[in-house]
Amino acid sequence: MKNKECVAMLLAGGQGTRLKSLTKELAKPAVFFGGKYRIIDFPLSNCTNSGIDTVGVLTQYEPLVLNHYLGIGSPWDLDRKYGGVSVLPPYMQAEGGGWYTGTANAIYRNLKFLHQYDPEHVLILSGDHIYTMDYSLMLDYHKEQNADATISVIEVPWEEASRFGIMNTEENGDIVEFDEKPAYPMSNLASMGVYIFKWEVLKEYLTADDAKPESSHDFGKDIIPALLQDEKKLKAYTFEGYWKDVGTVDSLWEANMDLLKETPDLDLNNSSWRIYSKNPNQPAQYLASTSSVRNALINEGCKIYGTVDTSILFYGVHVEEGAVVKDSVIMPNVKIGENVQIHRAIISEGSVIEDNSVIGDPTPGSEITLVAEEGSIMANSYAMTQ
Amino acid sequence: MERIAGIINLDHEQDMLNELTYFRCGAAVPFGGRYRMIDFTVSNMTNSRIESIAVFARRKYRSLMDHLEQGKAWDLDRKRGGLFILPPDWNDPTDISKGDLQHYHNNIDFLRRTSADYILVSGSQHICNIDFQEVLKDHKEADADVTVIYKKVDEMMPEYQLAQKLNIGEGNRVEAIHNEHYNPNVYMEMFLIKKKVLQDLVEKAIAHGHSHFFRDAIKDQLPTIHVNAYEYKGAHALVNSLESYYRNSTNLLKSEEHDRLFKDDAPILTKVKNEAPSKYMHGSDVKNTLVANGCVVEGHVEDSILFRGVKVGKGAVIKNSVIMQRCEIADHAVLENVILDKDCTISEGRTLIGAPEKPFVVAKRKTM
């Protein structure tokens, strides 16, 4: 078989504890987003739209839903004879085995997988971010510069820079220093967690890192600093566009709300850069005579008899008469009873909100209320941030 | 379990939906916001565990083939069985078959190869949600040669004039099939038959120079074969004219009708388009309307159906209309009693008003 120019490795094993009950039995990349997607649809669709047809998905934490969702990769056109999507959980070998101990360790333990394709470059992705990006342009840059590793960066507001991994660069894009969450940032170029390595370089550094007992086996903390120390050629590739970490309940809610802007920075209707997802194939949504819907994103299978304002509804959501859903994200198959009030909330898949209950705090800036999966809110009850 | 294979016979279906069937056959006409007519037949078959389906296509089947693909949406992309679209091309100089019997004759291998014992033959004009396994049960109990499916209609709508009706006698035995107007037992162009019986009847009909399987081999042979009638009691619509298309489309806005047709345990499936959820902007006002994904609505929509990817501009007003895929309705346009076929553009401020009983139809890709 011909070798692959670039193989993607998608780190999807994270627990995402800051998403609270949303990730209780779900890996973070499988969390719902934007009315019909899961977070992982974004990197996977980016891969297929960028012409990358071989993706290893590294799983560890609560993989059942994710495994089922990925299947053989057909929604993303990744059902290929050679390549396609492969789910890569930790596995036992003759000399033992164990859990992935870090991002670098996860890739190191799958060097054999990469060997099969003998790639020239390896693209490392994470399943934590919402963005659309043409990885092939980054790969072109990486090859043009003949870099050992290229790290995709995005300019963040200076006042937020200390929340990110910051790249200090020369004018020509050479990375000279990596600052993880610096108190006094010297640059506002944040790492997006998207790396391209030369395969030979990646192999060498992962192998060396594995031999170091004191290493935390993490790309940001160990691998990148090691490359910098050896004065390897590290390039920053500046990405311009929408990019958002959705690691917390608040940021997940915000990223959803971003889609409701008049002209959102992330265009879900771009027919030349579709975001693919598994489709539940439900009937068209129905807005009844009693409904009032404005500034909303609504998916198929929904039935709306009440009021929906500045909210996102996934498939199969029912909103009964007199109910008001405002500034909220309602995940699939949620049933919302009559005269229910929901403000600034995320309601998880399959929840039943009985008549007359009140959920969330309408005060602007207040904490987002989260109703856990298949939660049931009794009639006439009151629920706020837990 | 005894297996059933399906044949969707489009041979006799006339393209009577005027502008909507200029470019496509009736089976490929969009219906219900995100479906095509044929989706109901295919989904009913797969929901009834029919896993091998042949489509006898005669005319204008490009968009039909594009839509059905390899049957992926219905899990019909199989190694065993699956979906077979069979266009009418053959060059057998010894072939003497005529009419739809040509399809049966030339595709006899489909019948030979399927492991099914029974064949369910259906058209695409009767929209319904039916379990063919129940039909098989009834067929076996009646110990019939053929079981035909009918709907007892409450009200004689104009579309039933063209439909065939059944006279049903003792033991649900069909005594006559005719076009008389008063009879409420509307034949749904669906019948179940044992494979062996079908093969024999086809052979005989061809030998006798016949040209229409149902008419010549079943209807005209009623005294000699046992034809059993099965009454279907669920949601039903016959779409064989623009008028019936329009009325039955807007009937879906009645939630009872809708829920009887779109059932959770027997879903109607269709080709997936990967459209984003629909977006309702500030100032949008949508009442009693079915909306598919990928729409962006800024205007006022009432008692209508919007297919996938429709854009409705600011201040635009749409009432009692069916707007198909990717139409763009510019700001302040007014549409009432209108059917827009796919990819139409209505420019700013334009007004189109049809009559409630006779909608104004705009053909595919027109700019007004």
Side-chain angles (χ1 to χ4, degrees):
Chain A
M1 283 284 195
K2 196 176 171 298
N3 74 323
K4 294 270 182 190
E5 187 187 23
C6 184
V7 170
M9 297 294 266
L10 204 167
L11 297 156
Q15 181 175 355
T17 40
R18 289 172 304 155
L19 285 169
K20 300 180 182 166
S21 66
L22 286 173
T23 51
K24 189 163 166 270
E25 291 179 349
L26 197 66
K28 181 162 147 189
V31 167
F32 286 108
F33 177 80
K36 77 176 284 193
Y37 310 98
R38 293 183 188 264
I39 296 171
I40 198 169
D41 288 331
F42 288 83
L44 288 177
S45 300
N46 287 340
C47 279
T48 202
N49 289 333
S50 304
I52 292 169
D53 65 7
T54 308
V55 185
V57 180
L58 298 116
T59 61
Q60 175 153 292
Y61 174 79
E62 286 289 352
L64 292 183
V65 172
L66 193 58
N67 288 347
H68 180 251
Y69 188 70
L70 290 170
I72 57 165
S74 348
W76 309 273
D77 250 358
L78 290 171
D79 49 336
R80 304 292 177 106
K81 290 203 194 319
Y82 176 54
V85 72
S86 301
V87 177
L88 305 169
Y91 59 97
M92 298 298 289
Q93 289 172 285
E95 59 272 23
W99 299 112
Y100 295 147
T101 54
T103 50
N105 178 257
I107 307 292
Y108 171 73
R109 304 258 302 276
N110 286 287
L111 287 180
K112 266 199 271 183
F113 168 79
L114 286 163
H115 266 295
Q116 296 174 66
Y117 299 104
D118 190 24
E120 288 158 44
H121 307 280
V122 179
L123 168 67
I124 311 283
L125 301 169
S126 67
D128 305 357
H129 305 115
I130 302 296
Y131 64 115
T132 54
M133 177 177 178
D134 190 340
Y135 303 134
S136 72
L137 300 178
M138 179 176 170
L139 180 61
D140 289 346
Y141 176 82
H142 170 77
K143 290 192 301 192
E144 246 168 56
Q145 299 292 328
N146 192 27
D148 292 310
T150 301
I151 300 175
S152 183
V153 294
I154 186 163
E155 282 189 42
V156 293
W158 277 97
E159 61 273 21
E160 289 178 28
S162 50
R163 284 175 38 220
F164 294 93
I166 294 295
M167 297 292 161
N168 298 329
T169 59
E170 303 276 12
E171 292 226 328
N172 65 0
D174 281 350
I175 297 170
V176 289
E177 196 186 3
F178 173 71
D179 247 353
E180 180 69 29
K181 297 187 179 139
Y184 303 100
M186 283 159 36
S187 140
N188 67 337
L189 295 176
S191 165
M192 294 166 61
V194 175
Y195 313 100
I196 298 178
F197 288 89
K198 273 185 188 161
W199 166 224
E200 294 303 326
V201 175
L202 180 70
K203 209 162 34 177
E204 182 193 332
Y205 277 82
L206 287 178
T207 311
D209 177 74
D210 188 64
K212 292 181 196 155
E214 74 285 2
S215 171
S216 56
H217 309 302
D218 183 88
F219 272 97
K221 292 194 190 94
D222 306 293
I223 303 296
I224 304 298
L227 283 156
L228 282 170
Q229 198 174 6
D230 295 354
E231 296 186 351
K232 287 284 176 187
K233 191 167 180 183
L234 258 70
K235 282 283 181 182
Y237 172 79
T238 311
F239 170 76
E240 283 169 15
Y242 183 88
W243 176 82
K244 185 131 185 156
D245 184 293
V246 287
T248 64
V249 172
D250 283 350
S251 64
L252 179 69
W253 179 84
E254 268 167 34
N256 274 289
M257 291 300 133
D258 285 346
L259 296 172
L260 294 173
K261 288 186 190 156
E262 181 94 24
T263 27
D265 301 318
L266 184 78
D267 183 9
L268 294 175
N269 289 318
N270 181 357
S271 59
S272 61
W273 204 273
R274 279 262 176 261
I275 305 303
Y276 302 104
S277 63
K278 202 179 225 174
N279 194 305
N281 221 326
Q282 298 212 9
Q285 54 202 274
Y286 176 66
L287 275 59
S289 305
T290 53
S291 74
S292 166
V293 174
R294 74 187 75 86
N295 196 26
L297 213 50
I298 300 183
N299 199 351
E300 285 160 350
C302 286
K303 288 185 180 175
I304 317 293
Y305 292 86
T307 298
V308 178
D309 184 0
T310 317
S311 294
I312 293 190
L313 273 58
F314 283 73
Y315 52 83
V317 171
H318 292 189
V319 180
E320 297 300 339
E321 218 174 313
V324 175
V325 178
K326 195 166 186 305
D327 302 320
S328 295
V329 179
I330 315 294
M331 290 182 176
N333 301 318
V334 170
K335 306 290 173 250
I336 297 171
E338 286 177 20
N339 305 317
V340 165
Q341 299 264 345
I342 298 177
H343 291 272
R344 297 177 64 83
I346 296 177
I347 313 290
S348 303
E349 188 180 8
S351 295
V352 177
I353 315 296
E354 291 183 16
D355 296 353
N356 307 317
S357 36
V358 178
I359 292 173
D361 180 355
T363 321
S366 60
E367 205 183 327
I368 301 304
T369 302
L370 184 61
V371 173
E373 197 167 321
E374 291 182 23
S376 167
I377 302 292
M378 304 288 280
N380 308 310
S381 62
Y382 188 78
M384 248 169 69
T385 42
Q386 67 280 75
Chain B
M1 192 187 83
E2 273 163 306
R3 290 167 187 269
I4 313 176
I7 289 176
I8 301 177
N9 184 4
L10 306 178
D11 202 80
H12 306 297
E13 292 187 358
Q14 303 294 314
D15 301 330
M16 289 189 301
L17 270 57
N18 304 351
E19 287 89 342
L20 302 185
T21 44
Y22 283 174
F23 306 103
R24 54 171 91 85
C25 57
V29 168
F31 186 81
R34 60 191 292 273
Y35 304 95
R36 306 266 183 161
M37 295 288 292
I38 199 166
D39 292 343
F40 295 86
T41 316
V42 179
S43 301
N44 283 333
M45 286 184 171
T46 51
N47 288 339
S48 307
R49 289 173 291 170
I50 295 179
E51 289 163 358
S52 190
I53 300 173
V55 180
F56 291 172
R58 171 75 72 179
R59 289 171 295 264
K60 295 189 252 187
Y61 46 74
R62 186 212 56 83
S63 72
L64 184 76
M65 293 177 75
D66 179 15
H67 177 72
L68 293 173
E69 299 176 311
Q70 286 113 37
K72 205 171 182 145
W74 298 268
D75 268 350
L76 286 170
D77 50 339
R78 301 287 183 95
K79 291 201 197 301
R80 292 171 62 95
L83 184 75
F84 303 87
I85 302 175
L86 305 169
D89 182 43
W90 40 74
N91 291 295
D92 176 4
T94 64
D95 177 22
I96 55 156
S97 62
K98 292 185 286 195
D100 72 343
L101 283 158
Q102 284 187 316
H103 277 294
Y104 288 100
H105 176 263
N106 290 290
N107 299 308
I108 201 78
D109 281 353
F110 170 77
L111 293 175
R112 282 205 191 112
R113 284 182 191 155
T114 177
S115 58
D117 305 302
Y118 293 89
I119 308 292
L120 187 287
V121 181
S122 173
S124 75
Q125 296 180 331
H126 290 261
I127 302 280
C128 62
N129 193 324
I130 185 171
D131 183 355
F132 295 123
Q133 290 292 340
E134 290 297 314
V135 180
L136 176 60
K137 219 155 81 186
D138 189 71
H139 176 80
K140 288 207 271 190
E141 270 164 26
D143 195 23
D145 295 311
V146 184
T147 292
V148 294
I149 301 167
Y150 73 100
K151 171 80 184 176
K152 192 167 185 169
V153 298
D154 304 329
E155 204 181 334
M156 267 301 161
M157 303 313 266
E159 60 264 32
Y160 302 139
Q161 275 184 22
L162 292 160
Q164 302 190 78
K165 325 287 184 324
L166 309 180
N167 277 5
I168 301 162
E170 217 171 302
N172 289 329
R173 205 174 163 130
V174 176
E175 290 172 342
I177 303 173
H178 55 75
N179 281 79
E180 285 172 14
H181 190 47
Y182 60 86
N183 188 332
N185 299 326
V186 174
Y187 168 53
M188 288 171 60
E189 305 284 337
M190 296 173 187
F191 63 89
L192 183 79
I193 189 167
K194 204 165 202 164
K195 182 170 93 174
K196 186 74 186 56
V197 177
L198 177 67
Q199 283 169 315
D200 291 348
L201 288 176
V202 164
E203 210 171 291
K204 200 170 138 197
I206 292 170
H208 285 255
H210 294 322
S211 61
H212 188 308
F213 179 76
F214 187 79
R215 183 191 65 202
D216 302 330
I218 295 177
K219 186 177 145 186
D220 291 350
Q221 310 299 323
L222 273 177
T224 59
I225 55 174
H226 177 183
V227 179
N228 171 49
Y230 174 88
E231 186 186 358
Y232 164 72
K233 290 181 175 158
H236 172 256
L238 170 56
V239 175
N240 58 8
S241 63
L242 256 184
E243 191 268 331
S244 58
Y245 173 83
Y246 179 63
R247 179 162 35 76
N248 285 307
S249 293
T250 45
N251 263 351
L252 292 176
L253 299 173
K254 295 173 190 154
S255 68
E256 269 168 51
E257 250 339 83
H258 182 274
D259 292 352
R260 264 153 42 99
L261 186 58
F262 297 102
K263 300 199 266 193
D264 288 346
D265 56 350
I268 307 300
L269 304 177
T270 188
K271 184 180 175 182
V272 162
K273 293 280 193 192
N274 293 293
E275 298 275 5
S278 278
K279 188 163 187 186
Y280 300 89
M281 310 293 274
H282 280 291
S284 77
D285 180 18
V286 182
K287 306 276 186 215
N288 193 35
T289 291
L290 280 168
V291 184
N293 272 356
C295 293
V296 179
V297 184
E298 292 193 69
H300 176 94
V301 187
E302 205 177 310
D303 304 321
S304 296
I305 295 176
L306 305 186
F307 281 73
R308 293 188 270 210
V310 170
K311 308 243 180 317
V312 181
K314 274 195 197 85
V317 176
I318 299 176
K319 284 182 181 169
N320 301 314
S321 296
V322 177
I323 313 293
M324 294 191 194
Q325 296 93 301
R326 293 188 303 276
C327 284
E328 298 200 9
I329 291 99
D331 296 353
H332 307 291
V334 176
L335 302 178
E336 198 171 334
N337 305 318
V338 170
I339 297 175
L340 293 191
D341 203 338
K342 287 170 69 174
D343 299 308
C344 283
T345 307
I346 306 296
S347 52
E348 193 168 336
R350 181 95 201 195
T351 300
L352 294 179
I353 297 182
E357 65 289 346
K358 198 171 186 308
F360 187 85
V361 184
V362 181
K364 199 169 160 179
R365 271 193 293 279
K366 276 236 171 110
T367 302
M368 306 283 285

